[in-house]
């Protein structure tokens, strides 16, 4: 789960990180009030789950309260990469030129089988840009998952990265960020910029924080932070059914299968067949007819979908259960688009018999995933051409 | 014959009395695996469908001489179950559970590796974790410690199979079966970001296995395990290796079901994996059935 800047900052603050003061506003009047309370220049920052807010005009410096109101009006309701800005964070402005901006972050690293701590003197930029242009400017260090990050390690990394200022306090901020990452099951946490002012004291000006979805069960206090409106409506519905579902742009073939690997390969096969997958939908293992029924219901609601490709390799999953789900969807009038499917494995013959009984042109079964995908692609492209 | 498990493997099932544990215990037994006991804390001393159930792995091991454990414990307790088995000295631990928190796995994997090193330093056989979020492993004709459908392993053969994806493992095993080639051992290593055993860990075992002639590596987007495998192959493998990469059309930044299947920045892209295999002279199949053609070519069949 991705957190907003203000939420990530709340967590860091709880772990003792020195975070720039700021409050959340949902109306321009609230923005003005916060600016008045602070009695100084503020920055109004859009709170949306996408990068590049600044470039999109979602972050604005405001020298006084009236300008803050004006900027609040501009930013609230703004569309940034398809997401509407419903909240802004109003923070005290900092004279960046008087100090230095650094980057620190921790990310789950498959290769290290732990977190990797990253630090760079190139603060204020997206770390991916730094990594692409000047990888030598990022210092990396594996964090031991059992001991966590220790102060001397953090100091070493800060020194190697060329950080100037109060090194003990900077290292302490990194240690506290690491404590927050472990305690809150982060998969990613960044403080960027980490601002070091003329007094040498570090201050977190912005943060990214993403929590491991598998660990949400032990962070029930953060469950309210999940914002369904920031997700695609079909993804929200899918989460109710417990499907792994991802809506894909510009697709015309709905794709569903049993298992992440087979669904990923199904997407590849649809592409090869000359059509575009509209979604990734994994119904999981051992799905019964009702789950298949719901999956078809979900995919059929997507107006981009012109045909459906079902790819099942049944181990625990029974082919006849899949067929029953599809047939029920047809009978209930939910299934109106052609379904081209390949179901191999357990109870394949029973499935064929059930489908033969129904004998609808909307449902066809093939013996390989390629034939099924080709037919689904053909149907989808023909339907679009009309 | 094969690697890691065989007809002499004695298997205990942690979480045998749960729904998944029970059904797969039966399926493993049908396959011919020596399932010797179950472990369910609190149910020690009872009997489950003819199997004795113990409160702890240590008790089960002492009573049965088990040398493999397969874990069906729910995510919140799964890493703890791994550590219990490792500290009891079970040399091969297979974690099937999907959805284990990544930090739990980081800690468990590191501890298992330390126990493995200590065991080897003391002249022991070491401790290996396979998974989590994996389908397990099968030495065809001998033993299955996993959840793969039994009937895709009708024909034992001489092709080793390593895969990050469960369903694609089934697909490949069936293709090999139907092509009359068959498999030696299949190892599903799992799709999570932090797993106990990687491609590069399994490859040397197949290289050394007299019953394996060629190896198939089934990778997917995300991470750099395939790149590491390619490096190992180029430097050390004499047996032919054929690869397949799933998710080549997946968009960057979106997580495709598996926690590990996500392209982040420039890491984990299909291009990087294809380039690595290309540099190692490992042919990469465009489709699953093409894997068979490439294996046949490599073995001049």
């Amino acid at each position: 789960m991705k957190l907003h800047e203000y939420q990530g900052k709340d967590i860091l603050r709880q772990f003792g990180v020195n975070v720039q003061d700021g409050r959340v506003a949902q109306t321009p009047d609230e923005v003005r009030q916060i600016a008045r309370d602070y009695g100084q220049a503020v920055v109004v920052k859009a709170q949306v789950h996408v990068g590049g807010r600044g470039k999109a005009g979602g972050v604005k410096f405001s020298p006084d309260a009236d300008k803050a109101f004006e900027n609040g009006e501009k930013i609230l309701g703004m569309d940034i990469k398809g997401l509407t800005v419903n909240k802004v964070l109003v923070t005290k402005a900092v004279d960046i030129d008087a100090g230095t901006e650094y980057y620190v972050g921790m990310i789950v690293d498959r290769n290290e089988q732990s977190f990797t701590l990253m630090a760079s003197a190139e603060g204020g930029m997206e770390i991916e840009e730094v990594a692409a242009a000047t990888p030598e400017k990022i210092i990396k260090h594996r964090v031991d998952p059992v001991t966590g990050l220790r102060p001397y390690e953090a100091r070493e990394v800060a020194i190697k990265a060329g950080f100037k200022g109060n090194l003990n306090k900077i290292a302490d901020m990194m240690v506290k960020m690491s404590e927050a990452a472990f305690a809150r099951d982060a998969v990613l946490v960044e403080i960027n910029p980490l601002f070091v002012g003329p007094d040498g004291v570090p201050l977190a000006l912005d943060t990214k924080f993403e929590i491991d979805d598998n660990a949400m069960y032990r962070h029930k206090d953060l469950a309210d932070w999940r914002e369904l409106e920031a997700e695609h409506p079909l993804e929200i519905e899918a989460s109710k059914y417990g499907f792994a579902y991802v809506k894909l742009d510009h697709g015309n073939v709905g794709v569903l299968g049993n298992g992440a690997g087979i669904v990923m390969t199904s997407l590849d096969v649809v592409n090869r067949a000359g059509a575009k997958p509209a979604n990734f939908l994994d119904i999981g293992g051992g799905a019964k007819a009702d789950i298949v029924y719901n999956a078809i219901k979900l995919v059929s609601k997507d107006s981009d979908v012109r045909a459906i490709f079902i790819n099942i390799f049944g181990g625990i999953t029974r082919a006849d259960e899949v067929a029953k789900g599809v047939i029920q969807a047809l009978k209930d009038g939910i299934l109106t688009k052609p379904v081209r499917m390949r179901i191999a494995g357990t109870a394949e013959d029973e499935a064929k018999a059930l489908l033969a009984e129904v004998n609808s042109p909307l449902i066809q079964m093939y013996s390989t995933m390629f034939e099924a995908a080709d037919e689904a692609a053909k149907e989808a492209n023909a339907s679009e051409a009309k | 014959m094969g690697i890691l498990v065989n007809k002499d493997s004695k298997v205990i099932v942690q979480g045998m009395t749960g729904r998944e544990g029970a059904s797969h215990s039966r399926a493993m037994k049908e396959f011919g695996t020596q399932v010797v006991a179950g472990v369910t804390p609190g149910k020690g001393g009872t009997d489950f469908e003819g199997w004795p159930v113990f409160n702890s792995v240590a008790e089960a091991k002492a009573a049965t001489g088990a040398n493999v454990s397969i874990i069906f414990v729910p995510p919140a307790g799964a890493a703890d179950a791994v550590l219990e088995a490792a500290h009891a000295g079970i040399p091969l631990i297979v974690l099937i559970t999907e959805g284990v928190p990544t930090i739990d796995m980081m800690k468990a994997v590191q501890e298992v590796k330390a126990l493995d090193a200590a065991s080897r330093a003391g002249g022991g056989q070491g401790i290996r974790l396979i998974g989590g979020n994996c389908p397990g492993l099968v030495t065809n004709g001998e033993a299955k410690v996993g959840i793969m459908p039994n009937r895709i392993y009708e024909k034992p053969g001489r092709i080793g199979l390593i895969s990050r994806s469960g369903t694609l493992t089934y697909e490949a095993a069936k293709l090999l079966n139907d092509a009359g080639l068959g498999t030696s051992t299949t190892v599903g290593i799992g799709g999570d970001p932090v797993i106990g055993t990687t491609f590069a860990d399994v490859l040397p075992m197949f290289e050394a296995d007299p019953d394996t002639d060629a190896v198939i590596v089934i990778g997917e987007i995300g991470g750099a395990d395939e790149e590491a495998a390619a490096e190992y192959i180029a430097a050390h493998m004499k047996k032919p290796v054929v690869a397949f990469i799933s998710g080549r059309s997946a968009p960057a930044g979106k997580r495709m079901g598996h926690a590990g299947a996500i392209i982040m920045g420039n890491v984990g892209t299909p291009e990087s994996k294809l380039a690595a295999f290309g540099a190692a002279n490992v042919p990469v199949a465009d489709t699953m059935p093409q894997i068979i053609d490439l294996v046949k070519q490599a073995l001049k069949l």
Side-chain angles (χ1 to χ4, degrees):
Chain A
M1 180 174 80
K2 282 183 183 169
L3 303 188
H4 285 302
E5 174 189 355
Y6 75 92
Q7 296 166 330
K9 282 179 165 174
D10 276 354
I11 290 181
L12 291 176
R13 209 176 272 122
Q14 284 162 19
F15 282 83
V17 171
N18 186 27
V19 176
Q20 173 71 328
D21 285 338
R23 276 158 54 193
V24 175
Q26 286 178 286
T27 65
D29 285 321
E30 285 171 18
V31 174
R32 177 158 51 199
Q33 190 54 51
I34 296 167
R36 275 185 187 150
D37 291 350
Y38 285 152
Q40 64 155 89
V42 295
V43 182
V44 182
K45 306 167 95 175
Q47 300 295 291
V48 280
H49 291 300
V50 289
R53 293 173 301 173
K55 282 178 198 149
V59 179
K60 288 190 187 297
F61 175 76
S62 318
D64 56 48
D66 287 339
K67 190 69 185 168
F69 175 88
E70 221 176 89
N71 285 334
E73 267 190 322
K74 277 185 198 152
I75 296 172
L76 283 161
M78 178 187 243
D79 183 277
I80 300 182
K81 295 181 185 170
L83 294 175
T84 306
V85 180
N86 295 315
K87 282 182 231 170
V88 291
L89 177 63
V90 184
T91 68
K92 287 182 181 171
V94 163
D95 182 8
I96 296 287
D97 296 335
T100 319
E101 292 177 282
Y102 298 126
Y103 169 95
V104 293
M106 276 170 63
I107 189 164
V108 169
D109 187 331
R110 279 185 82 108
N111 301 328
E112 294 292 344
Q113 302 196 311
S114 186
F115 279 111
T116 287
L117 171 71
M118 295 179 292
S120 175
E122 301 290 308
M125 283 174 67
E126 293 270 333
I127 197 68
E128 288 86 355
E129 291 170 25
V130 182
T134 50
E136 71 282 359
K137 288 191 177 162
I138 302 173
I139 302 303
K140 293 183 177 176
H141 175 77
R142 179 182 189 267
V143 179
D144 186 300
V146 177
T147 63
L149 180 68
R150 286 163 296 188
Y152 82 88
E153 296 175 279
R155 278 198 305 278
E156 272 177 17
V157 169
I159 291 164
K160 274 190 204 159
F163 288 9
K164 305 276 188 283
N166 186 326
L167 282 175
N168 280 325
K169 286 197 171 163
I170 293 170
D172 184 56
M173 181 186 266
M174 290 157 78
V175 167
K176 283 168 174 160
M177 175 186 76
S178 171
E179 284 167 2
F182 278 102
R184 285 305 199 172
D185 281 288
V187 292
L188 167 81
V189 52
E190 290 181 354
I191 298 175
N192 185 31
L194 183 167
F195 178 72
V196 179
D199 56 358
V201 176
L203 179 66
L205 294 191
D206 196 355
T207 182
K208 269 188 198 166
F209 210 112
E210 191 178 343
I211 294 179
D212 181 0
D213 289 322
N214 286 342
M216 280 308 291
Y217 71 88
R218 54 190 177 204
H219 302 288
K220 294 212 167 73
D221 59 321
L222 305 184
D224 294 348
W225 283 3
R226 180 147 191 228
E227 283 172 13
L228 294 175
E229 65 268 26
E231 297 170 23
H232 194 282
L234 289 172
E235 292 182 356
I236 298 165
E237 193 170 335
S239 71
K240 286 179 198 155
Y241 294 129
F243 298 142
Y245 174 91
V246 181
K247 169 75 184 144
L248 301 171
D249 297 335
H250 317 299
N252 57 3
V253 176
V255 179
L256 60 102
N258 61 328
I262 203 169
V263 182
M264 268 196 275
T265 291
S266 305
L267 304 181
D268 296 344
V269 173
V270 168
N271 265 312
R272 287 177 66 89
K276 289 275 170 222
N279 66 275
F280 169 104
L281 198 171
D282 176 7
I283 60 170
K288 294 278 192 284
D290 58 322
I291 291 180
V292 175
Y293 180 90
N294 286 333
I296 287 180
K297 194 164 140 189
L298 183 77
V299 172
S300 299
K301 276 189 189 166
D302 183 347
S303 55
D304 297 342
V305 168
R306 304 301 183 102
I308 299 172
F309 168 41
I310 299 180
N311 190 8
I312 303 281
F313 196 110
I316 331 169
T317 311
R318 290 179 61 95
D320 56 344
E321 285 290 327
V322 177
K324 278 180 200 163
V326 176
I327 292 165
Q328 194 58 46
L330 179 76
K331 284 184 178 160
D332 292 356
I334 285 165
L335 178 64
T336 53
K337 297 161 186 174
V339 172
R340 300 297 176 250
M341 55 193 198
R342 172 268 199 161
I343 328 178
T346 315
E348 193 180 316
D349 294 338
E350 288 92 325
K352 274 183 194 148
L354 288 170
L355 291 170
E357 222 170 274
V358 176
N359 192 25
S360 162
L362 277 181
I363 313 172
Q364 300 290 329
M365 194 164 150
Y366 301 86
S367 54
T368 72
M369 67 166 93
F370 304 102
E371 288 170 82
D374 280 346
E375 291 302 319
K378 217 180 277 172
E379 294 285 348
N381 291 339
S383 156
E384 264 188 352
K386 269 179 206 164
Chain B
M1 155 172 188
I3 62 168
L4 291 162
V5 291
N6 58 38
K7 59 184 183 337
D8 299 321
S9 300
K10 288 186 174 180
V11 181
I12 55 169
V13 181
Q14 289 175 256
M16 178 186 264
T17 56
R19 191 171 61 102
E20 295 289 310
S23 73
H24 290 294
S25 295
R26 286 178 212 120
M28 284 189 280
K29 185 182 168 185
E30 276 164 29
F31 192 89
T33 310
Q34 278 196 66
V35 178
V36 295
V39 176
T40 301
K43 290 192 179 165
T46 63
D47 167 284
F48 183 79
E49 299 182 12
W51 285 296
V53 177
F54 296 89
N55 280 324
S56 73
V57 175
E59 284 173 18
K61 184 180 176 242
T64 63
N67 56 6
V68 181
S69 180
I70 181 167
I71 299 173
F72 291 98
V73 172
D80 185 57
V82 168
L83 292 174
E84 182 185 349
H87 281 278
I90 299 283
L92 180 66
I93 303 160
V94 182
L95 176 61
I96 303 296
T97 311
E98 183 175 358
V100 183
T102 301
I103 285 176
D104 294 4
M105 286 307 295
M106 286 178 184
K107 291 179 181 171
V109 165
Q110 178 159 311
E111 200 166 333
V112 167
K113 287 194 168 163
L115 290 168
D116 174 58
S119 162
R120 286 174 195 279
Q125 57 179 320
I127 292 171
R128 172 163 296 287
L129 168 66
I130 310 262
N133 187 16
C134 80
L137 57 165
V138 179
T139 293
N140 205 341
E142 299 208 24
K144 176 181 87 164
V145 184
I147 60 172
M148 294 87 159
N150 288 353
R151 59 171 199 292
I152 56 179
Y153 292 99
E154 285 158 356
K155 187 180 173 354
R158 301 184 56 83
I159 312 297
L161 186 56
I162 325 172
S163 172
R164 273 171 70 186
S165 149
T167 34
L168 294 185
T169 312
Y170 310 164
E171 193 85 47
K174 180 163 195 309
L175 288 168
L176 287 166
N177 191 74
D178 294 353
L181 288 169
T183 50
S184 55
T185 299
T186 299
V187 186
I189 59 171
D192 276 355
V194 178
I195 49 178
T197 295
T198 64
F199 290 127
D201 294 325
V202 182
L203 286 165
M205 300 181 209
F206 277 131
E207 177 71 10
D209 176 29
D211 297 313
T212 298
D213 293 336
V215 185
I216 297 170
V217 169
I218 299 178
E220 59 192 29
I221 55 157
D225 286 2
E226 291 78 6
E227 287 85 337
E231 255 179 55
Y232 182 85
I233 294 162
H236 303 288
M237 294 282 289
K238 293 194 172 58
K239 291 179 183 174
V241 181
V242 169
F244 178 77
I245 305 291
S246 175
R248 281 157 74 164
S249 57
K254 295 267 189 184
R255 192 164 269 123
M256 295 287 123
H258 284 318
I262 179 170
I263 298 169
M264 294 178 100
N266 294 322
V267 177
T269 62
E271 291 77 20
S272 144
K273 293 175 195 304
L274 292 174
F277 282 126
N281 286 322
V282 173
V284 182
D286 280 334
T287 66
M288 295 286 300
Q290 207 197 336
I291 293 173
I292 305 299
D293 301 335
L294 293 178
V295 169
K296 283 183 175 170
Q297 278 170 29
L299 293 175
K300 299 182 174 66
L301 296 174

